[in-house]
Amino acid sequence: MTTPQFAIEIKDLSKTYAASGKSPAKHALDNVSLTIPQGSIYGLLGPNGAGKSTLINILAGLVLKSSGTVKVWDTDIDENARQARANIGIVPQELNFDPFFSPRRLLDLHAGMYGVPKSERRTEELLKLVGLMDKADAYARSLSGGMRRRLMVAKAMVHTPPILVLDEPTAGVDVELRNQLWDNVRALNKQGLTILLTTHYLQEAEELCDRIAIINHGKIVADEDKETLLSRVEAKEITLRFEQDIASIPESLLPLAPTKEGKRTLSFRYSPKDTNAGAIIEQVRAAGLVITDLSTDDRDLEDVFLHLTRDAA
């Protein structure tokens, strides 16, 4: 299989769900265009109901599009639906396997459904990859929540797809398990797998993704590499703690619009293009306040996400 420049190419994709009963027609996707680079970890973010699930279901062949074109690993989903589906592995939010089968049996069975010959199946390789070799012959129902999530990843890879879609992979899991899954995602990507990640955990997208698209009301409101996206909202915050209680904010500091967060603490939110932390500290000292401690907080993806989805609302 040749390696295309883009793992997924979407152009002018629209989806309208027909009216049903008293419910009017719903425009889930509105002329969405995306190009997902081969070998990337690409984040697709958006509020509930933004259109993420519809887009993924179209890629998976579970929902028919209304218009537009979609190519999965250079294969048009209309011209060769079977191959397009074979080019992608989907890890859904829901656990969907028989709890009375063992992981080994589940992977063998799933590979058979994809028509993978016994001689070409990668069952043991995949079990080792997701750290489940020691549970290969246990009932799947006996696995912990984290193990079941990892089994779902292995299940999606039995036919060796070049693209893996992770739909809310860490929903409802604890911090330790989330970090383990992040390590798994990085390892898979280093092996050349292109990963499309949807998540409501913005920290997860910021930690993992090379490029991020934000969808809102069925439209793409941003599609940029992570650093460019983060630079959209240039907001920093410095929090200062003082030696003495502050009865009222000194008049000379009012133009900086500080927020009082306690008897001895003020926070200043600022744009680096307008001022800097050093200048703020100098003004505070000039106002006669003695600083005993400080902390800073840079912009993050949550700031950008809220800014873009509110503007597009």
Side-chain angles (χ1 to χ4, degrees), residues 205-225:
E206 188 170 351
E207 181 78 20
L208 293 174
C209 296
D210 311 311
R211 190 175 181 88
I212 293 170
I214 297 176
I215 187 170
N216 195 32
H217 299 300
K219 295 183 178 182
I220 298 298
V221 295
D223 177 19
E224 297 167 350
D225 68 80

Side-chain angles (χ1 to χ4, degrees), residues 107 111 121-133 150-151 153-161 184 188 191:
L107 297 190
R121 293 178 189 174
R122 305 163 54 216
T123 300
E124 291 200 1
E125 177 190 339
L126 290 172
L127 288 171
K128 289 176 183 175
L129 182 67
V130 297
L132 290 177
M133 195 60 211
R150 282 182 272 153
L151 178 57
V153 172
K155 184 168 171 274
M157 293 177 61
V158 295
H159 57 300
T160 318
N184 270 131
L188 292 170
Q191 293 183 12

Side-chain angles (χ1 to χ4, degrees), residues 191-206:
Q191 293 183 12
L193 209 62
T194 301
I195 294 171
L196 172 59
L197 170 71
T198 76
T199 180
H200 280 102
Y201 295 108
L202 300 183
Q203 181 194 359
E204 185 167 67
E206 188 170 351

